[in-house]
Coordinates of all heavy atoms in Angstrom, one line a residue:
M1 N 3.0 10.2 15.9 CA 3.2 9.4 14.7 C 1.8 9.0 14.2 O 0.9 8.7 14.9 CB 3.9 8.1 15.0 CG 4.1 7.3 13.8 SD 4.6 5.5 13.9 CE 6.2 5.5 14.6
H2 N 1.7 9.1 12.8 CA 0.5 8.9 12.2 C 0.4 7.3 11.9 O 1.4 6.6 11.6 CB 0.3 9.5 10.8 CG 0.2 11.0 11.0 ND1 -1.0 11.6 11.4 CD2 1.0 12.0 10.9 CE1 -0.9 12.8 11.5 NE2 0.4 13.2 11.2
D3 N -0.8 6.7 12.0 CA -1.0 5.4 11.7 C -1.4 5.3 10.2 O -2.2 6.1 9.8 CB -2.2 4.8 12.5 CG -2.4 3.4 12.3 OD1 -2.2 2.9 11.2 OD2 -2.8 2.6 13.2
M4 N -0.9 4.5 9.3 CA -1.3 4.5 7.9 C -2.7 4.0 7.7 O -3.2 4.0 6.5 CB -0.3 3.4 7.2 CG 1.1 4.0 7.0 SD 1.2 5.6 6.1 CE 0.8 5.1 4.5
F5 N -3.5 3.7 8.7 CA -4.9 3.2 8.5 C -5.9 4.0 9.2 O -7.0 3.8 8.9 CB -4.9 1.6 8.9 CG -4.0 0.8 8.3 CD1 -2.7 0.3 8.8 CD2 -4.2 0.3 7.0 CE1 -2.0 -0.5 8.1 CE2 -3.5 -0.4 6.2 CZ -2.2 -0.8 6.9
Q6 N -5.6 4.8 10.1 CA -6.5 5.6 10.9 C -6.2 7.0 11.0 O -5.0 7.3 11.1 CB -6.6 5.0 12.3 CG -7.2 3.6 12.3 CD -8.7 3.4 11.7 OE1 -9.4 4.4 11.8 NE2 -8.9 2.3 11.2
P7 N -6.9 8.0 11.1 CA -8.4 7.9 10.9 C -8.8 7.9 9.4 O -10.0 7.9 9.2 CB -8.9 9.1 11.7 CG -7.8 10.1 11.4 CD -6.5 9.4 11.4
A8 N -8.0 8.0 8.5 CA -8.4 8.2 7.1 C -8.9 6.9 6.5 O -9.6 7.1 5.4 CB -7.2 8.7 6.3
G9 N -8.7 5.8 7.1 CA -9.1 4.5 6.5 C -7.8 4.0 5.7 O -6.8 4.4 5.6
L10 N -8.2 2.8 5.1 CA -7.1 2.1 4.3 C -6.6 2.9 3.1 O -7.6 3.3 2.3 CB -7.7 0.7 3.9 CG -6.8 -0.3 3.1 CD1 -5.6 -0.6 4.1 CD2 -7.5 -1.5 2.7
V11 N -5.5 3.1 2.9 CA -4.9 3.8 1.9 C -4.1 3.0 0.9 O -3.9 3.5 -0.3 CB -4.1 5.1 2.3 CG1 -4.8 6.1 3.0 CG2 -2.9 4.7 3.1
A12 N -3.7 1.7 1.3 CA -3.0 0.9 0.4 C -2.9 -0.4 1.0 O -2.9 -0.7 2.2 CB -1.5 1.4 0.2
Y13 N -2.9 -1.5 0.1 CA -2.5 -2.8 0.5 C -1.0 -2.9 0.1 O -0.5 -2.4 -0.9 CB -3.2 -3.9 -0.3 CG -4.7 -4.1 0.1 CD1 -5.7 -3.6 -0.7 CD2 -5.0 -4.8 1.2 CE1 -7.0 -3.8 -0.4 CE2 -6.4 -5.0 1.5 CZ -7.3 -4.4 0.8 OH -8.6 -4.7 1.1
W14 N -0.2 -3.7 1.0 CA 1.2 -3.8 0.8 C 1.5 -5.2 0.5 O 1.1 -6.2 1.1 CB 2.0 -3.4 2.0 CG 1.9 -1.9 2.3 CD1 0.9 -1.3 3.0 CD2 2.5 -0.9 1.7 NE1 1.0 0.0 3.0 CE2 2.0 0.5 2.3 CE3 3.7 -0.7 0.8 CZ2 2.5 1.7 1.7 CZ3 4.1 0.6 0.5 CH2 3.5 1.6 0.9
R15 N 2.3 -5.4 -0.6 CA 2.7 -6.8 -1.0 C 4.1 -6.7 -1.6 O 4.6 -5.8 -2.2 CB 1.9 -7.4 -2.2 CG 0.4 -7.6 -1.8 CD 0.4 -8.8 -0.8 NE -1.0 -9.1 -0.4 CZ -1.6 -8.6 0.6 NH1 -1.2 -7.5 1.3 NH2 -2.9 -9.0 0.9
P16 N 5.0 -7.7 -1.1 CA 6.4 -7.8 -1.6 C 6.3 -8.4 -3.0 O 5.7 -9.4 -3.2 CB 7.0 -8.7 -0.5 CG 5.9 -9.6 0.1 CD 4.6 -8.7 -0.1
V17 N 7.1 -7.8 -4.0 CA 7.1 -8.2 -5.3 C 8.5 -7.8 -5.7 O 9.0 -6.8 -5.6 CB 6.1 -7.6 -6.2 CG1 6.3 -8.1 -7.6 CG2 4.7 -7.8 -5.8
D18 N 9.3 -8.9 -6.2 CA 10.6 -8.7 -6.8 C 11.6 -7.9 -5.8 O 12.3 -7.1 -6.1 CB 10.5 -7.9 -8.1 CG 9.9 -8.5 -9.2 OD1 9.8 -9.8 -9.3 OD2 9.2 -7.9 -10.1
G19 N 11.5 -8.3 -4.5 CA 12.4 -7.9 -3.5 C 12.1 -6.6 -2.9 O 12.8 -6.0 -2.2
V20 N 10.9 -6.0 -3.1 CA 10.5 -4.7 -2.6 C 9.0 -4.8 -2.3 O 8.2 -5.5 -3.0 CB 10.7 -3.6 -3.6 CG1 10.2 -2.3 -3.0 CG2 12.1 -3.5 -4.1
R21 N 8.6 -4.2 -1.1 CA 7.2 -4.1 -0.8 C 6.5 -2.9 -1.3 O 7.0 -1.8 -1.1 CB 7.0 -4.0 0.7 CG 7.3 -5.4 1.5 CD 7.2 -5.1 3.0 NE 8.2 -4.4 3.5 CZ 8.3 -3.6 4.6 NH1 7.3 -3.6 5.4 NH2 9.3 -2.9 5.0
H22 N 5.7 -3.1 -2.3 CA 4.9 -2.2 -3.0 C 3.6 -1.9 -2.4 O 2.8 -2.7 -1.9 CB 4.7 -2.5 -4.4 CG 6.0 -2.3 -5.3 ND1 6.4 -1.1 -5.7 CD2 6.8 -3.2 -5.8 CE1 7.5 -1.3 -6.4 NE2 7.7 -2.7 -6.5
G23 N 3.1 -0.7 -2.6 CA 1.8 -0.2 -2.1 C 0.8 -0.5 -3.4 O 1.1 -0.2 -4.5
L24 N -0.4 -0.9 -3.0 CA -1.5 -1.1 -4.2 C -2.7 -0.4 -3.6 O -2.9 -0.3 -2.4 CB -1.7 -2.7 -4.2 CG -0.6 -3.6 -4.4 CD1 -1.0 -5.0 -4.3 CD2 0.0 -3.4 -5.8
L25 N -3.4 0.1 -4.6 CA -4.7 0.8 -4.3 C -5.6 -0.2 -3.5 O -5.6 -1.4 -3.8 CB -5.5 1.2 -5.5 CG -4.8 2.4 -6.4 CD1 -5.5 2.7 -7.7 CD2 -4.8 3.6 -5.5
P26 N -6.4 0.4 -2.5 CA -7.2 -0.5 -1.7 C -8.5 -0.8 -2.4 O -9.5 -1.1 -1.5 CB -7.3 0.4 -0.5 CG -7.3 1.8 -0.8 CD -6.4 1.7 -2.1
T27 N -8.7 -0.7 -3.7 CA -10.0 -1.0 -4.2 C -10.6 -2.3 -4.1 O -11.6 -2.7 -4.0 CB -10.0 -0.7 -5.6 OG1 -8.8 -1.4 -6.3 CG2 -9.8 0.8 -6.0
E28 N -9.5 -3.3 -4.0 CA -9.8 -4.7 -3.7 C -8.5 -5.3 -3.2 O -7.4 -5.0 -3.6 CB -10.3 -5.4 -4.9 CG -9.3 -5.6 -6.1 CD -9.7 -6.6 -7.2 OE1 -10.2 -7.7 -7.0 OE2 -9.6 -6.0 -8.4
P29 N -8.8 -6.4 -2.2 CA -7.6 -7.1 -1.8 C -6.8 -7.7 -2.9 O -7.3 -8.3 -3.9 CB -8.1 -8.2 -0.8 CG -9.5 -7.6 -0.5 CD -10.0 -6.9 -1.7
P30 N -5.4 -7.7 -2.8 CA -4.7 -8.4 -4.0 C -4.7 -9.9 -3.7 O -4.7 -10.4 -2.6 CB -3.3 -7.8 -3.9 CG -3.2 -7.2 -2.4 CD -4.6 -7.0 -2.0
Y31 N -4.6 -10.7 -4.8 CA -4.6 -12.1 -4.6 C -3.6 -12.7 -5.6 O -3.3 -12.0 -6.7 CB -6.0 -12.7 -4.9 CG -6.6 -12.5 -6.3 CD1 -6.4 -13.2 -7.3 CD2 -7.5 -11.3 -6.3 CE1 -6.9 -12.9 -8.5 CE2 -8.0 -11.0 -7.6 CZ -7.8 -11.8 -8.6 OH -8.4 -11.5 -9.9
P32 N -2.9 -13.8 -5.3 CA -1.9 -14.4 -6.2 C -2.4 -14.5 -7.7 O -3.6 -15.0 -7.9 CB -1.7 -15.7 -5.5 CG -2.0 -15.5 -4.1 CD -3.2 -14.7 -4.1
G33 N -1.5 -14.2 -8.6 CA -1.8 -14.3 -10.0 C -2.5 -13.0 -10.6 O -2.4 -12.9 -11.9
Q34 N -2.8 -12.2 -9.8 CA -3.4 -10.9 -10.3 C -2.4 -9.9 -10.7 O -1.3 -9.8 -10.0 CB -4.3 -10.3 -9.0 CG -5.1 -9.0 -9.5 CD -5.8 -8.6 -8.3 OE1 -5.2 -8.4 -7.1 NE2 -7.0 -8.1 -8.4
E35 N -2.7 -9.2 -11.8 CA -1.7 -8.2 -12.1 C -2.3 -6.9 -11.6 O -3.4 -6.5 -11.8 CB -1.6 -8.2 -13.7 CG -0.5 -7.4 -14.2 CD -0.2 -7.5 -15.7 OE1 0.5 -8.4 -16.1 OE2 -0.8 -6.6 -16.5
R36 N -1.5 -6.1 -10.9 CA -1.9 -4.8 -10.3 C -0.9 -3.7 -10.5 O 0.3 -3.9 -10.7 CB -2.1 -5.0 -8.8 CG -3.1 -6.0 -8.4 CD -4.5 -5.4 -8.4 NE -4.8 -4.3 -7.5 CZ -5.3 -4.5 -6.2 NH1 -5.6 -5.6 -5.7 NH2 -5.3 -3.3 -5.4
E37 N -1.4 -2.5 -10.6 CA -0.4 -1.3 -10.6 C -0.2 -0.9 -9.2 O -1.1 -0.7 -8.4 CB -1.1 -0.3 -11.5 CG -0.2 0.9 -11.6 CD -0.8 2.0 -12.6 OE1 -1.6 1.7 -13.4 OE2 -0.2 3.2 -12.4
T38 N 1.0 -0.6 -9.0 CA 1.5 -0.1 -7.6 C 1.3 1.4 -7.6 O 1.0 2.1 -8.6 CB 3.0 -0.5 -7.4 OG1 3.7 0.3 -8.4 CG2 3.2 -1.8 -7.6
L39 N 1.4 1.9 -6.3 CA 1.3 3.4 -6.1 C 2.4 4.2 -6.8 O 2.3 5.3 -7.2 CB 1.3 3.7 -4.5 CG 0.2 3.1 -3.8 CD1 0.2 3.6 -2.4 CD2 -1.2 3.6 -4.4
C40 N 3.5 3.4 -7.1 CA 4.7 4.1 -7.8 C 4.4 4.0 -9.3 O 5.3 4.5 -10.0 CB 5.9 3.6 -7.3 SG 6.3 1.9 -7.8
G41 N 3.4 3.3 -9.8 CA 3.2 3.2 -11.2 C 3.7 2.0 -11.9 O 3.5 1.9 -13.1
T42 N 4.4 1.1 -11.1 CA 4.9 -0.1 -11.6 C 3.8 -1.2 -11.7 O 3.0 -1.3 -10.9 CB 6.0 -0.6 -10.8 OG1 7.0 0.3 -10.7 CG2 6.5 -2.0 -11.4
T43 N 3.6 -1.9 -12.8 CA 2.6 -3.1 -13.0 C 3.5 -4.3 -12.4 O 4.5 -4.7 -12.9 CB 2.2 -3.3 -14.4 OG1 1.5 -2.0 -14.7 CG2 1.2 -4.4 -14.5
V44 N 2.8 -5.0 -11.5 CA 3.4 -6.3 -10.9 C 2.4 -7.4 -10.9 O 1.2 -7.2 -11.0 CB 3.8 -6.0 -9.5 CG1 4.9 -4.9 -9.4 CG2 2.8 -5.6 -8.5
T45 N 2.9 -8.6 -10.9 CA 1.9 -9.7 -10.7 C 2.1 -10.2 -9.2 O 3.3 -10.4 -8.7 CB 2.5 -11.0 -11.6 OG1 2.3 -10.4 -12.9 CG2 1.5 -12.1 -11.4
I46 N 1.1 -10.4 -8.5 CA 1.0 -10.7 -7.1 C 1.3 -12.2 -7.0 O 0.7 -12.9 -7.8 CB -0.4 -10.3 -6.6 CG1 -0.8 -8.8 -6.8 CG2 -0.5 -10.7 -5.0 CD1 0.3 -7.9 -6.2
F47 N 2.0 -12.5 -6.0 CA 2.2 -14.1 -5.7 C 2.0 -14.2 -4.2 O 1.9 -13.2 -3.4 CB 3.7 -14.4 -6.1 CG 4.8 -13.7 -5.3 CD1 5.3 -14.3 -4.1 CD2 5.2 -12.5 -5.7 CE1 6.3 -13.7 -3.4 CE2 6.3 -11.9 -5.0 CZ 6.8 -12.4 -3.9
K48 N 1.9 -15.4 -3.7 CA 1.8 -15.6 -2.2 C 3.0 -15.4 -1.6 O 4.0 -16.1 -1.8 CB 1.2 -17.1 -2.0 CG 1.0 -17.2 -0.6 CD 0.4 -18.6 -0.3 CE 0.1 -18.9 1.1 NZ -0.4 -20.1 1.5
P49 N 3.2 -14.3 -0.8 CA 4.5 -14.1 0.0 C 4.9 -15.0 1.0 O 4.1 -15.5 1.7 CB 4.4 -12.7 0.4 CG 2.9 -12.5 0.7 CD 2.3 -13.4 -0.4
T50 N 6.2 -15.3 1.2 CA 6.6 -16.0 2.3 C 7.0 -15.1 3.5 O 7.0 -13.8 3.2 CB 7.9 -16.8 1.9 OG1 8.9 -15.9 1.7 CG2 7.7 -17.7 0.7
D51 N 7.2 -15.7 4.7 CA 7.6 -14.7 5.9 C 8.9 -13.9 5.4 O 9.0 -12.8 5.8 CB 7.8 -15.6 7.0 CG 6.5 -16.1 7.7 OD1 5.4 -15.7 7.3 OD2 6.6 -17.1 8.4
L52 N 9.8 -14.5 4.7 CA 11.1 -13.9 4.4 C 10.7 -12.7 3.4 O 11.4 -11.7 3.4 CB 12.0 -14.9 3.7 CG 13.3 -14.4 3.5 CD1 14.0 -13.9 4.7 CD2 14.3 -15.5 2.8
D53 N 9.7 -13.0 2.4 CA 9.4 -11.9 1.4 C 9.1 -10.6 2.1 O 9.3 -9.4 1.7 CB 8.3 -12.3 0.6 CG 8.7 -13.4 -0.4 OD1 9.8 -13.5 -0.8 OD2 7.9 -14.2 -0.8
W54 N 8.4 -10.7 3.2 CA 7.9 -9.5 4.0 C 9.0 -8.7 4.7 O 8.8 -7.6 5.0 CB 6.9 -9.9 5.1 CG 5.6 -10.2 4.5 CD1 4.9 -11.5 4.4 CD2 4.6 -9.4 4.0 NE1 3.8 -11.5 3.8 CE2 3.5 -10.1 3.5 CE3 4.5 -8.1 3.7 CZ2 2.4 -9.8 2.8 CZ3 3.5 -7.5 3.1 CH2 2.4 -8.3 2.7
L55 N 10.3 -9.3 4.6 CA 11.4 -8.5 5.2 C 12.0 -7.6 4.1 O 13.0 -6.8 4.5 CB 12.5 -9.5 5.7 CG 12.0 -10.3 6.9 CD1 13.1 -11.4 7.2 CD2 11.5 -9.6 8.1
A56 N 11.5 -7.6 2.9 CA 12.0 -6.8 1.9 C 11.7 -5.3 2.2 O 10.9 -5.0 2.9 CB 11.3 -7.1 0.6
P57 N 12.7 -4.4 1.7 CA 12.4 -3.0 2.0 C 11.2 -2.4 1.4 O 10.8 -3.1 0.3 CB 13.7 -2.4 1.5 CG 14.2 -3.3 0.4 CD 13.8 -4.7 0.9
T58 N 10.5 -1.4 1.9 CA 9.5 -0.7 1.4 C 9.8 0.2 0.2 O 10.9 0.9 0.3 CB 8.7 0.1 2.5 OG1 8.3 -0.8 3.4 CG2 7.5 0.8 1.8
C59 N 9.2 0.2 -0.9 CA 9.3 1.0 -2.0 C 9.2 2.5 -1.6 O 8.0 2.9 -1.1 CB 8.4 0.7 -3.1 SG 8.3 1.9 -4.6
G60 N 10.1 3.4 -1.7 CA 10.2 4.7 -1.3 C 9.0 5.5 -2.0 O 8.2 6.2 -1.3
P61 N 9.0 5.4 -3.3 CA 7.8 6.1 -3.9 C 6.4 5.7 -3.6 O 5.5 6.5 -3.5 CB 8.2 6.0 -5.4 CG 9.6 5.7 -5.5 CD 10.0 4.9 -4.2
C62 N 6.2 4.4 -3.3 CA 5.0 3.9 -2.9 C 4.6 4.4 -1.4 O 3.6 4.9 -1.2 CB 4.9 2.3 -2.8 SG 4.6 1.6 -4.4
W63 N 5.6 4.5 -0.6 CA 5.4 4.9 0.7 C 5.1 6.4 0.7 O 4.2 6.7 1.4 CB 6.6 4.8 1.5 CG 6.6 5.1 3.0 CD1 7.2 6.2 3.5 CD2 5.9 4.5 4.0 NE1 6.8 6.3 4.9 CE2 6.0 5.4 5.2 CE3 5.1 3.4 4.1 CZ2 5.5 4.9 6.4 CZ3 4.6 2.9 5.2 CH2 4.7 3.8 6.4
D64 N 5.8 7.2 -0.2 CA 5.5 8.6 -0.2 C 4.1 8.8 -0.8 O 3.3 9.7 -0.3 CB 6.5 9.3 -1.1 CG 7.9 9.4 -0.5 OD1 8.1 9.1 0.7 OD2 8.9 9.6 -1.2
E65 N 3.6 8.1 -1.7 CA 2.2 8.2 -2.3 C 1.2 7.9 -1.3 O 0.2 8.5 -1.1 CB 2.2 7.4 -3.6 CG 0.8 7.4 -4.2 CD 0.4 8.9 -4.7 OE1 1.3 9.8 -4.9 OE2 -0.9 9.1 -4.8
A66 N 1.5 6.8 -0.5 CA 0.5 6.3 0.5 C 0.4 7.4 1.5 O -0.8 7.7 2.1 CB 1.1 5.0 1.2
R67 N 1.6 8.0 2.0 CA 1.5 9.1 3.0 C 0.7 10.3 2.4 O -0.2 10.8 3.2 CB 2.9 9.6 3.4 CG 3.5 8.6 4.4 CD 4.7 9.3 4.9 NE 5.4 10.1 4.1 CZ 6.7 10.2 3.9 NH1 7.5 9.6 4.6 NH2 7.3 11.0 3.1
S68 N 0.8 10.7 1.1 CA 0.1 11.8 0.6 C -1.4 11.4 0.5 O -2.2 12.3 0.8 CB 0.6 12.0 -0.9 OG 1.9 12.4 -0.9
R69 N -1.7 10.2 0.2 CA -3.1 9.8 0.1 C -3.8 9.7 1.5 O -4.8 10.3 1.8 CB -3.3 8.5 -0.5 CG -3.0 8.4 -1.9 CD -2.9 7.0 -2.6 NE -2.6 7.0 -4.0 CZ -3.5 7.0 -4.9 NH1 -4.8 6.9 -4.7 NH2 -3.1 7.0 -6.1
R70 N -2.9 9.4 2.5 CA -3.5 9.4 3.9 C -3.7 10.9 4.4 O -4.7 11.2 4.9 CB -2.5 8.8 4.9 CG -2.8 8.7 6.3 CD -1.6 8.7 7.2 NE -0.7 9.8 7.0 CZ 0.5 9.8 7.2 NH1 1.1 8.8 7.8 NH2 1.3 10.9 7.1
D71 N -2.7 11.7 4.1 CA -2.8 13.1 4.5 C -4.0 13.8 3.8 O -4.7 14.6 4.5 CB -1.5 13.8 4.3 CG -0.4 13.3 5.0 OD1 -0.5 12.5 6.0 OD2 0.8 13.7 4.8
A72 N -4.2 13.5 2.5 CA -5.3 14.2 1.8 C -6.7 13.7 2.4 O -7.6 14.5 2.6 CB -5.2 13.8 0.3
A73 N -6.8 12.4 2.7 CA -8.0 11.9 3.3 C -8.3 12.4 4.7 O -9.3 12.7 5.1 CB -8.0 10.3 3.4
E74 N -7.2 12.6 5.5 CA -7.3 13.2 6.8 C -7.8 14.6 6.7 O -8.7 15.0 7.5 CB -6.0 13.1 7.6 CG -5.7 11.6 8.0 CD -4.5 11.7 8.9 OE1 -3.7 12.6 8.9 OE2 -4.1 10.5 9.4
A75 N -7.3 15.4 5.7 CA -7.6 16.8 5.6 C -9.1 16.9 5.2 O -9.8 17.6 5.5 CB -6.8 17.5 4.5
A76 N -9.5 15.9 4.2 CA -10.9 15.9 3.8 C -11.9 15.6 5.0 O -12.8 16.2 5.0 CB -11.1 15.0 2.6
N77 N -11.5 14.6 5.8 CA -12.3 14.2 6.9 C -12.4 15.4 7.9 O -13.4 15.7 8.3 CB -11.7 13.1 7.6 CG -11.8 11.8 6.9 OD1 -12.6 11.6 6.0 ND2 -11.1 10.7 7.3
K78 N -11.3 16.2 8.1 CA -11.4 17.4 9.0 C -12.2 18.5 8.5 O -13.0 19.0 9.2 CB -9.9 17.8 9.3 CG -9.0 17.0 10.2 CD -7.7 17.5 10.4 CE -6.8 16.5 11.4 NZ -5.5 17.0 11.4
A79 N -12.1 18.6 7.2 CA -12.9 19.7 6.5 C -14.3 19.3 6.6 O -15.2 20.2 6.8 CB -12.4 19.9 5.1
G80 N -14.6 18.2 6.4 CA -16.0 17.6 6.5 C -16.7 17.6 7.8 O -17.9 17.8 8.1
A81 N -15.8 17.5 8.8 CA -16.2 17.5 10.3 C -16.5 18.9 10.8 O -17.1 19.1 11.8 CB -15.2 16.8 11.2
Q82 N -16.1 19.9 10.1 CA -16.3 21.3 10.6 C -17.6 21.9 10.2 O -18.2 21.6 9.3 CB -15.1 22.1 10.1 CG -13.8 21.7 10.7 CD -12.7 22.6 10.2 OE1 -12.7 23.4 9.3 NE2 -11.4 22.3 10.7

């Protein structure tokens, strides 16, 4: 099983918004009140999640995009190591 954070590095920050956990680009940590674009292309406003918010299902398109970014980074790392 692949870890979403290793060896390719951080590929997304995850935040629950409107009942779904969305992936966000890892350019900077998300903070409450910030408007960010998700990996699936939706623009959301970040809020401070509760423990219950984290139980929301993961956005399928964000998950697929995060996996694609992880796989691309791993392939680039392998190519650079050769």
Side-chain angles (χ1 to χ4, degrees):
M1 181 198 293
H2 290 285
D3 186 329
M4 288 303 291
F5 300 101
Q6 297 296 332
L10 182 65
V11 296
Y13 284 107
W14 295 92
R15 291 296 182 271
V17 180
D18 297 331
V20 180
R21 285 179 291 156
H22 283 285
L24 308 166
L25 288 176
T27 52
E28 66 175 308
Y31 58 89
Q34 184 182 44
E35 192 170 274
R36 295 280 293 267
E37 185 173 340
T38 66
L39 295 180
C40 70
T42 302
T43 300
V44 298
T45 300
I46 305 301
F47 65 94
K48 184 176 179 181
T50 67
D51 290 343
L52 188 59
D53 292 326
W54 286 106
L55 299 177
T58 300
C59 171
C62 282
W63 182 255
D64 292 342
E65 180 62 21
R67 283 193 328 220
S68 293
R69 289 171 182 262
R70 178 208 57 206
D71 293 348
E74 286 179 354
N77 286 345
K78 286 179 185 175
Q82 294 178 356

